[in-house]
């Protein structure tokens, strides 16, 4: 695999949807006691499986929940069900299980880089254990039964987070979205369905899972992501050849604001970090630790920033603190 793909494909994720047999889907549960039974049962099974930290959202503040959302650990749907939902997080934070989200159980495994088979192998171990311990809703005709018809079959969603600044600048994203849909894939924003993209980040995933094996889904998404990475690399070469001076000016200006600016709102921070990351890909700057750099947009997001600085009371103060934090980190992580 082209090593440059690892600068385009940020992370790979496998998600599995499962539901208890004999219970309505979460949105149609008749009694709160049913939701509590599901939560307690899954918690007990996970404790037997391995090293999981299990948290009930009702015991967390709303800001703590939003900080977890910014880190892609939980979903907005889980927060909406805060009173009777929970999540379990493995020690290395690769494995995540959400309970009482859209489905009774949402298992997911996220790993850095472009290799869907690594998280697939990890999550299968967990899923096999859960299926031995829990009687899940399954049909011989339709496979695993899920709240959304799009997840019928394997219940699997395989996705890769992509950094596509060149295709975005070339106005090719809408074309890719339409082509992806025609081939059974979907391109979404950074937080999934119904969210906008920020920082040139997009999720590509399978649209449906009915009639496909798990391996076919993983192979199909991998092949399509490979094609998009090739397109992004080609677009980068075209842009570099035609707009070199303008690009290097944009990158250096972004670097200067991140390093020396006084006020920095969240959206501007993400856009400027994206430009610096693009500058590294084009050879204008050098990011010394990409993993730490990629975390900056999360660490500087509102809820996570508030977890570090509980006392800011308005947007101006928040923007000052964000700028101070990013100023320091950029000096440590980026070389001009």
């Amino acid at each position: 695999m082209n090593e440059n793909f690892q600068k385009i494909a940020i992370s790979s994720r496998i998600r599995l949807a499962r539901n208890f047999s004999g219970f309505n889907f979460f949105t149609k549960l008749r009694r709160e006691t049913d939701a509590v039974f599901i939560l307690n049962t899954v918690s007990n099974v996970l404790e037997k499986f391995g090293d999981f930290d299990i948290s009930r959202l009702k015991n967390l503040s709303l800001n703590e929940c939003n900080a977890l959302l910014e880190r892609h650990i939980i979903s907005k749907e889980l927060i909406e069900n805060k009173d009777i939902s929970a999540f379990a997080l493995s020690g290395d934070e690769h494995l995540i299980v959400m309970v009482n989200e859209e489905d009774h159980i949402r298992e997911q495994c996220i790993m850095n880089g472009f290799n869907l088979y690594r998280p697939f192998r990890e999550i299968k171990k967990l899923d096999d254990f859960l299926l031995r311990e829990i009687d899940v809703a399954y049909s011989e005709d339709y496979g695993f039964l899920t709240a959304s018809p799009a997840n019928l079959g394997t219940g699997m969603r395989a996705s890769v987070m992509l950094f596509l600044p060149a295709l975005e600048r070339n106005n090719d994203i809408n074309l890719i979205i339409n082509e992806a849909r025609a081939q059974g894939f979907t391109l979404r924003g950074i937080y999934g369905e119904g969210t906008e993209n920020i920082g040139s980040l997009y999720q590509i995933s399978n649209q449906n899972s009915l009639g496909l094996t798990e391996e076919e889904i993983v192979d199909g998404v991998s092949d399509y992501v490979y094609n998009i990475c090739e397109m992004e690399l080609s677009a980068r070469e075209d842009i570099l050849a035609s707009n070199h001076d303008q690009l290097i000016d944009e990158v250096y200006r972004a670097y200067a604001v991140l390093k020396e600016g006084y006020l920095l709102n969240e959206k501007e921070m993400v856009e400027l970090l994206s430009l610096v990351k693009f500058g590294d890909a084009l050879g204008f700057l050098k990011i010394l630790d990409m993993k730490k750099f990629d975390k900056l947009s999360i660490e500087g997001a509102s809820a996570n920033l508030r977890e570090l600085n509980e006392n800011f009371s308005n947007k101006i103060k928040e923007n000052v603190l964000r700028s101070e934090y990013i100023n320091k980190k950029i000096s440590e992580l980026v070389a001009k």
Side-chain angles (χ1 to χ4, degrees):
M1 182 183 297
N2 190 323
E3 64 179 19
N4 288 322
F5 285 6
Q6 299 301 332
K7 291 189 176 182
I8 298 172
I10 307 302
S11 61
S12 302
R13 182 188 72 159
I14 300 291
R15 192 203 70 199
L16 300 173
R18 304 288 185 252
N19 289 279
F20 276 58
S21 179
F23 288 78
N24 288 347
F25 295 127
F26 178 77
T27 55
K28 300 294 184 180
L29 282 178
R30 289 184 292 271
R31 300 183 300 273
E32 184 175 326
T33 52
D34 291 343
V36 173
F37 173 80
I38 290 168
L39 194 158
N40 289 336
T41 302
V42 175
S43 296
N44 291 335
V45 171
L46 291 176
E47 286 176 354
K48 289 192 289 183
F49 177 77
D51 177 26
F52 276 101
D53 181 18
I54 302 171
S55 301
R56 301 194 177 195
L57 266 65
K58 69 178 182 180
N59 297 327
L60 304 177
S61 69
L62 182 58
N63 192 77
E64 287 174 317
C65 291
N66 286 330
L68 291 164
L69 174 64
E70 291 170 352
R71 292 169 58 195
H72 304 282
I73 289 175
I74 64 175
S75 65
K76 64 182 188 305
E77 290 82 7
L78 199 76
I79 297 175
E80 290 169 0
N81 304 334
K82 189 175 185 294
D83 290 343
I84 46 177
S85 64
F87 72 97
L89 185 64
S90 64
D92 59 11
E93 297 193 357
H94 287 159
L95 285 170
I96 305 160
V97 180
M98 292 184 285
V99 186
N100 291 334
E101 197 234 31
E102 182 181 67
D103 292 285
H104 299 152
I105 306 171
R106 285 284 179 95
E107 312 164 49
Q108 63 181 20
C109 184
I110 306 173
M111 292 187 174
N112 293 328
F114 177 23
N115 187 338
L116 281 167
Y117 268 98
R118 288 179 61 221
F120 176 63
R121 286 191 293 266
E122 286 301 307
I123 205 165
K124 282 297 291 178
K125 298 174 188 175
L126 171 61
D127 190 54
D128 289 345
F129 188 85
L130 284 170
L131 295 180
R132 288 195 298 269
E133 297 286 328
I134 297 172
D135 183 18
V136 302
Y138 186 85
S139 163
E140 291 297 329
D141 294 324
Y142 300 109
F144 291 102
L145 301 180
T146 55
S148 170
N151 293 321
L152 277 174
T154 63
M156 175 187 282
R157 182 65 58 87
S159 61
V160 178
M161 186 74 75
L162 299 170
F163 179 56
L164 305 175
L167 289 171
E168 195 174 67
R169 282 171 174 263
N170 281 355
N171 296 315
D172 287 330
I173 291 297
N174 287 335
L175 175 64
I176 291 173
I177 290 173
N178 293 331
E179 287 182 347
R181 189 180 298 117
Q183 297 188 46
F185 305 102
T186 183
L187 203 67
R188 293 171 168 160
I190 188 171
Y191 292 108
E193 187 172 2
T195 64
E196 65 177 342
N197 84 287
I198 52 175
S200 303
L201 292 172
Y202 298 85
Q203 289 186 59
I204 184 74
S205 64
N206 57 300
Q207 274 188 315
N208 300 298
S209 68
L210 185 62
L212 297 168
T213 67
E214 293 169 335
E215 290 79 8
E216 286 172 337
I217 292 172
V218 172
D219 286 342
V221 174
S222 296
D223 289 345
Y224 198 72
V225 167
Y226 188 98
N227 291 337
I228 293 179
C229 287
E230 291 278 17
M231 293 171 63
E232 172 66 18
L233 286 179
S234 178
R236 290 180 183 185
E237 291 177 2
D238 293 343
I239 287 176
L240 193 57
S242 60
N243 295 293
H244 178 277
D245 291 343
Q246 178 184 337
L247 267 175
I248 199 167
D249 182 66
E250 286 185 51
V251 169
Y252 283 177
R253 285 174 183 270
Y255 172 72
V257 173
L258 291 171
K259 188 178 180 182
E260 303 291 346
Y262 181 72
L263 291 175
L264 191 61
N265 66 47
E266 185 173 344
K267 183 177 180 181
E268 183 184 19
M269 173 196 69
V270 173
E271 291 172 345
L272 295 175
L273 288 171
S274 175
L275 267 170
V276 169
K277 185 178 177 72
F278 194 28
D280 172 83
L282 297 175
F284 300 154
L285 297 169
K286 177 63 176 176
I287 295 175
L288 305 176
D289 189 323
M290 188 60 74
K291 288 183 180 179
K292 289 183 179 179
F293 182 87
D294 283 340
K295 290 180 180 179
L296 291 183
S297 60
I298 295 172
E299 294 167 351
S302 291
N304 277 279
L305 192 67
R306 189 176 290 275
E307 288 299 300
L308 296 174
N309 303 273
E310 296 180 358
N311 296 323
F312 65 75
S313 57
N314 57 57
K315 282 294 181 183
I316 296 297
K317 183 62 174 175
E318 175 186 334
N319 292 343
V320 171
L321 289 170
R322 177 179 294 109
S323 187
E324 290 175 351
Y325 182 81
I326 297 297
N327 290 166
K328 180 176 182 296
K329 293 294 183 178
I330 286 294
S331 297
E332 296 171 353
L333 295 174
V334 182
K336 185 175 177 180

